Amino acid sequence: MDGEEVQVIHSWSAPRSLSTSLMYSFAQRDDMEVLDEPLYANFLRVTGVERPYRDEVLSKMESDGNNVIKEVIFGPGKKKYRYCKHMAKQHLPNLTNDLMKKGKHFLLIRHPLNVLSSFNKVAPPSFLELGLGNLASIYSELCLLGNPPAIVDADDLQKDPQAVLSGLCQELGIPFCASMLEWEAGPKPFDGIWAPWWYGNVHKTTGFTKPCMHSSPFPSAQYDLLEQSLPFYNLLRQKSRSSLQPSLPLPSLPVLANGKLLAWVGDELLPRESAKVSVFDSVVQGGDAVWEGLRIYNGKVFKLDEHLDRLFDSAKALAFSNIPNREAIKEAIFKTLISNGMFDNAHIRLTLTRGKKVTSGMSPAFNLYGCTLIVLAEWKPPVYDNSGGIKLVTATTRRNSPNSIDSKIHHNNLINNILAKVEGNLAGADDAIMLDKDGFVSETNATNIFMVKKGQVSTPHADYCLPGITRATVMDLVVKENLVLHERRISLSEFHTADEVWTTGTMGELTPVVVIDGRIIGNGEVGPVTRRIQDAYRVLTAESGVPIPMHVE
């Protein structure tokens, strides 16, 4: 390979991130030469920072960064590969873009919590020295150049060096060598001039050391620095090899477009992976929140005011305080929909929590921040088969009685419904029917329910179930279609022997039911009354709703 162009591998990292150990690892390969921070002298010259070895570095290393890039980093070599260990802060504006355009790049990151605890031992901590902001900038630049880097978390590397190195080599397009897992202790001939000041602990090692199981207390003086740097670490961590291991594949989304949505949390829009609530929020502490489901049709939000009426009623029943006003909630809904470009075939999960607490506990007296508003809009077609119909089973879990908690409060404490849904899942059904305390049908775990017998429509009283807005809309449509409607107690056997059954809900609209507990409903097909009400509902949703206001240039 003497005199031939080599394939360059760039490692970008920050202090305290196992970068030297990783350089030693790659140096064990017969096909690899390594360069220890070839741009260090350029960094010292341009920035003017003081180091105890500054003069020696500037006298013995080339300090013109662009010359280093051309003659050293991308110069001819004797081996197939050249590994360049770079510190992120050494990527300065005076350097040619060839540095980023050429070669294979990867980033080595580490959780700032694990870095800051020991940082004072080697250098005064600062955001610049921590380097995560620089790494995020390098990641963005490489992506814009069409050269996205692999990302390795140093903590993962310590836990399973062989698996992480194997994966990294695969991403770099080079074969993995078992020799990369160990090396001889002591200084190396390719160590930088600064090695006596920084590499003492690494020189004692012969391989990647296991992570310390018992860390020291975190220095409170560095709490602000942790807060500043953690978002950059989390951004890079999401893209790291830990998210891409074959043993831990990313789950597929029902609708791929929802992978890049924006959600409203509190008072701002956030990307999907950043849309989170505090661990002190009441919805986390005790499911203490209320919610609504909204569907979007043809640029309009269907039954928006009716849903907001129920949201405010639920919040009042639970004695929420500092509730956002109606216009503020509408504005958050519209901003979320417009920002996502969602004007049809979309669904919103609108949540209002009691808010963040000053300390964990049950008492609302700890809620001193006001409510937390969440607007989660997704591309979501109706969740059931509204053409062929669904199967239901009856759950053993009973619907809440008003003696325990009134189902007219649309609250987030849904464990009662979830237990019934678990039963339905285990039985291979689409959903589960829930009975009231006396054994009469109440609703399903997620929807209200209707039946048809001899042309007459019946639905259970809303004593034990949520009086759904879609339910009320369908009841009005039944009357407008000149059909007889009964709201009464209905036994399970009546549903088993019904001519037609359907369920109603915002997410699913009107869904035919063709089997209940193994019994075929009617002739097992969608019935004429069901289709008639479905058609009427379709016309209504196309014609009504609150328009999403759009700014016209």
Side-chain angles (χ1 to χ4, degrees), residues 1-6 33 74-80 82:
M1 293 292 295
D2 193 11
E4 295 184 18
E5 183 178 351
V6 298
E33 61 176 291
F74 294 119
K78 297 180 180 181
K79 295 189 177 182
K80 185 175 182 179
R82 176 177 293 141

Side-chain angles (χ1 to χ4, degrees), residues 273-286:
E273 295 303 322
S274 301
K276 298 176 174 64
V277 295
S278 168
V279 294
F280 286 96
D281 197 284
S282 291
V283 72
V284 179
Q285 296 270 320

Side-chain angles (χ1 to χ4, degrees), residues 257-277:
N258 288 329
K260 295 185 177 180
L261 56 78
L262 297 166
W264 185 279
V265 181
D267 58 1
E268 62 180 335
L269 278 169
L270 296 166
R272 179 186 177 112
E273 295 303 322
S274 301
K276 298 176 174 64
V277 295

Side-chain angles (χ1 to χ4, degrees), residues 19 87 89 103 109 112 114 172 179 206 215 254 257 265 270 274 386 394 401-402 453-454 477 501 508 535:
S19 58
M87 290 291 109
K89 63 186 177 183
I109 62 172
N114 298 331
L172 294 173
S179 60
T206 59
S215 59
V265 181
L270 296 166
S274 301
N386 289 351
T394 302
S401 162
K453 188 71 173 181
K454 296 182 178 178
L477 290 176
V501 176
D535 291 341

Side-chain angles (χ1 to χ4, degrees), residues 92-109:
L92 299 177
N94 72 309
L95 299 176
T96 174
N97 226 14
D98 283 349
L99 178 65
M100 310 305 283
K101 287 181 177 179
K102 298 169 64 176
K104 296 287 186 70
H105 296 257
F106 76 91
L107 311 185
L108 180 63
I109 62 172

Side-chain angles (χ1 to χ4, degrees), residues 197-393:
W197 283 268
W198 302 106
Y199 295 175
N201 288 334
V202 185
H203 287 162
K204 299 174 185 177
T205 67
T206 59
F208 293 99
T209 56
K210 294 291 183 183
C212 179
M213 298 300 294
H214 304 286
S215 59
S216 56
F218 182 77
S220 59
Q222 296 177 22
Y223 191 87
D224 289 346
L225 186 53
L226 175 65
E227 282 192 313
Q228 294 165 21
S229 57
L230 193 56
F232 295 96
Y233 169 79
N234 288 334
L235 169 69
L236 295 170
R237 173 71 181 181
Q238 290 168 16
K239 310 294 183 181
S240 72
R241 278 211 52 78
S242 62
S243 302
L244 303 173
Q245 293 291 345
S247 58
L248 294 171
L250 290 173
S252 59
L253 302 179
V255 179
L256 292 178
N258 288 329
K260 295 185 177 180
L261 56 78
L262 297 166
W264 185 279
V265 181
D267 58 1
E268 62 180 335
L269 278 169
L270 296 166
R272 179 186 177 112
E273 295 303 322
S274 301
K276 298 176 174 64
V277 295
S278 168
V279 294
F280 286 96
D281 197 284
S282 291
V283 72
V284 179
Q285 296 270 320
D288 190 4
V290 296
W291 69 282
E292 291 293 320
L294 304 167
R295 187 163 279 285
I296 317 305
Y297 300 92
N298 302 318
K300 292 173 286 188
V301 185
F302 188 60
K303 298 287 182 178
L304 174 58
D305 286 307
E306 290 86 341
H307 280 286
L308 291 182
D309 287 343
R310 189 170 66 183
L311 184 80
F312 287 121
D313 285 348
S314 296
K316 185 175 183 179
L318 292 179
F320 282 13
S321 58
N322 297 314
I323 300 169
N325 62 42
R326 182 180 292 257
E327 290 309 309
I329 295 177
K330 281 187 175 182
E331 186 67 20
I333 290 171
F334 294 143
K335 282 185 177 180
T336 303
L337 291 171
I338 294 167
S339 297
N340 284 292
M342 294 179 179
F343 305 108
D344 192 31
N345 207 29
H347 178 271
I348 289 176
R349 176 89 173 202
L350 179 69
T351 304
L352 188 68
T353 84
R354 196 183 295 272
K356 191 169 67 172
K357 293 177 177 288
V358 294
T359 186
S360 61
M362 187 182 299
S363 175
F366 298 145
N367 291 83
L368 302 179
Y369 294 96
C371 293
T372 302
L373 178 67
I374 302 169
V375 185
L376 175 56
E378 295 180 277
W379 299 106
K380 185 169 287 191
V383 295
Y384 303 111
D385 181 358
N386 289 351
S387 297
I390 64 172
K391 298 179 181 180
L392 302 178
V393 294

